């Protein structure tokens, strides 16, 4: 009788934080990791454009079920904005649609920049992956079809000028997930009256992970070859380390594995991580104020 051979990699669950190089899509990075780890269950938690570099969080194994929560985390970027020129893609890959003289002082730039801090509606770029009638907006734009994307609510927490060297200005952008920095550059250019596009982008933070946690993709590929890649896997429990945690006894781990609730015992955080005494992630738990119990929402091992 045929018996499936056990693959030790099937038991691995966690996070690989990659410093993505310019020129690769996020999906291509995931494919490299699937091949290198021999783990099919792998996915990123927020697309990073091919022209951008920096922090790309990859979940592997059962940890992929954390994706909806990790993807919703805040992001931080170093954005290089080029003044005086507009393109149809809002970045350097597109065709130039307009050029205007730059008559902007640093003081004026910073004053207008501050107007983009806070919660507001933003329209994604026409050349984006937003689906319209089941079709990516960029495909419609390339084919000359009219593209009308509905605005979405975003939140920009802070914007700080790092380098003032017109026609390029480097800005630190701390924002909510779903923010298009290309649209931010375009809209800022409109406010300034000179036009602008995003000429460079590096993600420095995604959720609790920063460039300090990231491994260059080249180095990670080398670790696949020498069999040392496991040392770069961050435990799944760390992916949402900003969430409160409840340490579970063995008895309660068993209860949660079978879908049973556990008493809240005075802790009333809406969502918490349930972890073992060894620090392994067991489940995400949601508080029920009526019963004063935690209900398992996602269980990560059985």
């Amino acid at each position: 009788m045929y018996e499936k051979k056990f693959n030790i990699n099937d038991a691995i669950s966690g996070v690989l934080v990659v410093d993505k190089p310019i020129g690769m899509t996020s999906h291509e990075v995931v494919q490299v990791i699937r091949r290198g780890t021999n783990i099919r269950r792998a996915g990123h938690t927020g697309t990073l454009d091919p022209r951008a570099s920096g922090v790309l969080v990859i979940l592997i194994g059962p940890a992929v079920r954390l994706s909806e929560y990790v993807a919703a985390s805040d992001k931080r970027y170093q954005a290089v904005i080029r003044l005086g020129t507009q393109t149809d893609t809002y970045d350097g890959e597109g065709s130039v649609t307009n050029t205007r003289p730059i008559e902007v002082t640093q003081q004026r730039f910073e004053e207008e920049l501050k107007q983009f801090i806070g919660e507001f509606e933003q329209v994604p770029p026409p050349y984006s992956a937003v689906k319209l009638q089941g079709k990516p907006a960029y495909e419609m734009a390339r084919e000359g079809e009219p593209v009308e994307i509905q605005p979405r609510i975003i939140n920009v927490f802070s914007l700080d000028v790092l380098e003032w060297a017109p026609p390029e200005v480097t800005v630190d952008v701390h924002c909510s997930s779903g923010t298009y920095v290309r649209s931010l550059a375009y809209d800022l250019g409109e406010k300034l009256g000179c036009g602008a596009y995003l000429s460079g982008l590096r993600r420095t933070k995604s959720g609790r992970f920063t460039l300090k946690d990231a491994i260059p993709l080249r180095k990670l590929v080398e670790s696949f070859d020498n069999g040392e890649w496991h040392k770069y896997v961050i435990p799944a429990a760390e992916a949402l380390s900003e969430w409160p945690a409840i340490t579970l006894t063995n008895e309660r781990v068993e209860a949660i594995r079978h879908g049973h609730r556990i008493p809240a015992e005075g802790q009333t955080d809406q969502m918490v991580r349930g972890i073992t005494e060894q620090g392994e992630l067991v489940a995400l738990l949601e508080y029920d104020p009526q019963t004063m119990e935690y209900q398992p929402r996602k269980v990560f091992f059985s």
Side-chain angles (χ1 to χ4, degrees), residues 15-20 29-30 32-34 36-37 56 58 60 214-233:
V15 184
L16 284 170
V17 184
V18 177
D19 186 348
K20 187 188 87 65
V29 174
V30 172
V32 169
I33 288 173
R34 285 175 178 166
T37 62
L56 184 66
I58 312 289
I60 60 174
I215 175 174
L217 184 61
R218 171 190 50 78
K219 188 174 180 181
L220 183 60
V221 169
E222 289 174 0
S223 75
F224 294 149
D225 296 334
N226 61 34
E228 296 182 351
W229 66 269
H230 302 81
K231 68 183 182 182
Y232 298 115
V233 178

Side-chain angles (χ1 to χ4, degrees), residues 256-272:
I256 288 171
R257 283 175 56 191
H258 292 91
H260 299 313
R261 298 178 175 220
I262 62 170
E265 296 182 345
Q267 188 162 348
T268 59
D269 296 287
Q270 180 64 26
M271 295 290 292
V272 300

Side-chain angles (χ1 to χ4, degrees), residues 267-285:
Q267 188 162 348
T268 59
D269 296 287
Q270 180 64 26
M271 295 290 292
V272 300
R273 296 169 296 147
I275 60 175
T276 66
E277 293 173 350
Q278 292 73 39
E280 293 180 78
L281 182 65
V282 177
L284 300 184
L285 309 169

Side-chain angles (χ1 to χ4, degrees), residues 29-49:
V29 174
V30 172
Q31 291 297 94
V32 169
I33 288 173
R34 285 175 178 166
R35 289 193 297 268
T37 62
N38 197 27
I39 297 174
R40 300 308 303 167
R41 297 182 69 189
H44 63 76
T45 62
T47 301
L48 197 53
D49 286 348

Side-chain angles (χ1 to χ4, degrees), residues 48-275:
L48 197 53
D49 286 348
R51 286 177 59 88
S53 67
V55 177
L56 184 66
V57 178
I58 312 289
L59 301 176
I60 60 174
V64 296
R65 300 179 63 214
L66 290 169
S67 181
E68 64 182 286
Y69 303 101
V70 180
S73 300
D74 65 308
K75 308 289 190 290
R76 195 162 206 141
Y77 302 90
Q78 282 188 7
V80 182
I81 299 172
R82 189 171 186 87
L83 304 175
T85 306
Q86 289 177 312
T87 70
D88 55 0
T89 58
Y90 300 0
D91 64 17
E93 281 199 336
S95 301
V96 174
T97 58
N98 197 10
T99 58
R100 284 177 268 182
I102 305 169
E103 298 174 347
V104 179
T105 63
Q106 182 173 353
Q107 181 180 351
R108 166 89 191 289
F109 182 93
E110 293 186 351
E111 286 174 354
E112 294 293 351
L113 191 65
K114 289 177 183 177
Q115 303 306 309
F116 289 90
I117 297 174
E119 189 175 87
F120 58 91
E121 288 188 337
Q122 183 190 64
V123 179
Y127 285 83
S128 64
V130 175
K131 293 286 185 68
L132 298 174
Q133 301 171 349
K135 192 173 182 180
Y138 64 81
E139 286 188 8
M140 298 176 65
R142 286 172 184 166
E143 294 168 5
E145 297 181 43
V147 177
E148 294 185 11
I149 305 176
Q150 293 300 310
R152 55 183 62 184
I153 298 293
I154 63 161
N155 201 335
V156 176
F157 308 114
S158 67
L159 292 166
D160 296 293
V161 173
L162 299 178
E163 184 178 7
W164 174 258
E168 291 193 332
V169 186
T170 303
V171 178
D172 177 81
V173 181
H174 185 199
C175 57
S176 63
S177 176
T179 301
Y180 278 90
V181 184
R182 281 186 290 149
S183 285
L184 189 66
Y186 176 87
D187 294 340
L188 177 61
E190 287 289 278
K191 284 279 189 181
L192 294 169
C194 63
Y197 70 84
L198 185 69
S199 64
L201 187 68
R202 182 159 174 76
R203 185 188 283 166
T204 58
K205 180 177 182 290
S206 180
R208 54 86 76 215
F209 300 111
T210 70
L211 285 170
K212 290 181 180 179
D213 304 299
I215 175 174
L217 184 61
R218 171 190 50 78
K219 188 174 180 181
L220 183 60
V221 169
E222 289 174 0
S223 75
F224 294 149
D225 296 334
N226 61 34
E228 296 182 351
W229 66 269
H230 302 81
K231 68 183 182 182
Y232 298 115
V233 178
I234 299 170
E238 292 298 307
L240 296 170
S241 61
E242 69 274 18
W243 287 31
I246 294 176
T247 301
L248 305 169
T249 62
N250 290 338
E251 182 181 355
R252 288 189 173 173
V253 168
E254 286 299 310
I256 288 171
R257 283 175 56 191
H258 292 91
H260 299 313
R261 298 178 175 220
I262 62 170
E265 296 182 345
Q267 188 162 348
T268 59
D269 296 287
Q270 180 64 26
M271 295 290 292
V272 300
R273 296 169 296 147
I275 60 175

